[in-house]
Structure formats: C-alpha cells, structure tokens
Amino acid sequence: RNLIINGNMQIAQRGTSVAGKTTGGYNTVDRFAYFNSGETITEEQSTDVPTGQGFANSFKATITTANTPTTTAQTYITTRLEGQNLQQLAYGTANAKTVTLSFWIKTNFTDQITLWLWNPDSNRQIAYALNVDAANTWQKVTWTLDGDTAGLIDNNNDIGLQLRWILSAGPDFQGGTLDTSWATMKTTGRYQGQGDFTGTLSNYINITGVQLEVGEQASDFENLPYGT
C-alpha cells in the first residue's frame, strides 16, 4: 500500500550517523538523502520518535554551520520513486488517481517548509506550504493530492516521482504563486514563502512514518517485516 520505501527509517545500511557533512547524497537512512546548499550538518538515524505510534527510528539533520542559500541554491531532504512502481496511479490519463502523503515531523523551525513533488518525465510539479504547529513537538502532517491527468510517468526504473522537503531556497525561487495544483515546473514561485532553515545554527528536523498511498485519506502506517 505504501509507495515509499523505508518510510519508517528502520534501515540504515551506510551507517547511523555522519558529522561535518557539506555535500549532498545518501549517507545514513536508506532511500532518504539530504542535499546541502553551503551549510554543514550532522545527519543521523535517530531514536527520537512520536510516542505510541509504533516507530523506532527517524531521519534527523542538525545544522552545525549555518548558511543562507543564494540565487537558485536549495537545501532539501528527498526520496525518489521509480516509475515502474507507480503505474497504478495512471498519471497522464483521465483515470489519474488521488494520493495522500502522511508523515510525522519534529523541528525547532516554525517558518515554512515546502513539500514539493516532481514528475521529471513530464516536468510537472505540485507543492504544499507546511507551517509547523509547535516547535520541538511531534506533529502528523497529511497532504492529499489530485491525480495528474497531464503528467505521464514512464514505466521504467528511472525517477517517476521525487518528493522533497525544502528546508531553504535562494531568492530566485520566491515571488509568484506556489503551485498547489499540478503544473509545469518553473523557477519563480516554486517555493514561494519558503523559510530559511539552514540560516540558523542548531536548527534540526526529524522525519518518520512517511507514507504515500492511493486514496483521499491517510491510513495507519504500513509496517513491513525488516527483511522485506
């Protein structure tokens, strides 16, 4: 049911922590990458989780050297979904299915974090402005997205959809209007209203329980056996 792999952050084959990280890529939790834009971070598979929700781990990033991105620089956490695993969504047809994203987040940053979903095959995007309810408190986020009737996803092992949690972005992405419905990808306004997470030392973010599923409601997280 869950289109996201390792959404409970349980698998971390590369290692459980890395300090002094200045470049983007996969370093700890499998399938989730952090891409820098000039800041330095500590990244880890954390044991800080929402109480009573059945999770043992979360993905955590902490700013250890602050930096504010310029022009088109951007910082984000991302996970990528292969096109061959998304054909049931019927994107690019009149039968494109509605999906719902849900996850848990904890952070001391209360300005806007932009959720951004991109279909590179059709160069289409959709975004959601997330404002955390309370600092240092686990919060469940739910985002329901209409199916994209204009955005065909190729049936191959390339990226079919890429989900990003935008943490900071340069000024070239501001202005205009945030695309809260599917639209052709653009630069101006892509992350309109985005806050500057990376500009303050010791800002941190934890994420766990990431689930993307067909339908208009978020169901309980689908826990799979560790081996699976």
Side-chain angles (χ1 to χ4, degrees):
R1 184 177 76 247
N2 189 3
L3 298 172
I4 303 293
I5 297 173
N6 198 34
N8 60 358
M9 315 300 171
Q10 187 176 20
I11 312 298
Q13 297 180 88
R14 296 172 179 83
T16 57
S17 66
V18 58
K21 183 174 181 290
T22 58
T23 57
Y26 296 90
N27 287 277
T28 58
V29 175
D30 285 26
R31 307 294 299 194
F32 286 81
Y34 183 106
F35 285 87
N36 307 59
S37 62
E39 76 284 0
T40 305
I41 69 161
T42 294
E43 179 186 317
E44 58 190 299
Q45 181 192 40
S46 172
T47 55
D48 185 356
V49 294
T51 302
Q53 299 301 319
F55 301 115
N57 299 107
S58 63
F59 178 102
K60 183 177 183 180
T62 304
I63 303 298
T64 55
T65 302
N67 179 73
T68 296
T70 59
T71 61
T72 58
Q74 54 183 302
T75 290
Y76 56 89
I77 299 167
T78 185
T79 187
R80 299 162 175 173
L81 291 69
E82 293 184 10
Q84 61 192 1
N85 296 331
L86 301 172
Q87 295 306 299
Q88 69 269 39
L89 300 183
Y91 275 27
T93 77
N95 296 321
K97 293 180 173 63
T98 296
V99 296
T100 296
L101 173 71
S102 58
F103 61 92
W104 288 84
I105 184 172
K106 179 181 177 182
T107 179
N108 60 348
F109 180 71
T110 55
D111 204 345
Q112 178 178 315
I113 294 171
T114 307
L115 306 181
W116 187 72
L117 190 64
W118 174 45
N119 170 0
D121 291 327
S122 298
N123 204 32
R124 304 269 290 171
Q125 68 175 17
I126 189 170
Y128 176 81
L130 166 63
N131 286 282
V132 173
D133 290 340
N136 307 308
T137 303
W138 280 105
Q139 170 187 344
K140 188 174 183 179
V141 176
T142 301
W143 177 28
T144 299
L145 307 80
D146 291 334
D148 186 12
T149 58
L152 181 69
I153 296 175
D154 294 341
N155 184 24
N156 57 30
N157 64 356
D158 292 333
I159 301 170
L161 290 174
Q162 182 175 150
L163 172 63
R164 296 180 184 177
W165 289 259
I166 307 298
L167 303 180
S168 292
D172 288 12
F173 293 114
Q174 301 288 344
T177 303
L178 193 68
D179 284 327
T180 56
S181 299
W182 283 103
T184 300
M185 192 178 75
K186 63 185 182 184
T187 299
T188 302
R190 185 189 302 179
Y191 312 134
Q192 170 60 28
Q194 173 65 42
D196 184 18
F197 173 88
T198 62
T200 301
L201 182 67
S202 299
N203 272 351
Y204 76 88
I205 183 171
N206 292 68
I207 296 172
T208 195
V210 184
Q211 182 155 281
L212 183 67
E213 59 191 309
V214 174
E216 298 181 357
Q217 301 292 329
S219 63
D220 290 341
F221 186 82
E222 181 183 32
N223 282 293
L224 298 177
Y226 185 93
T228 304

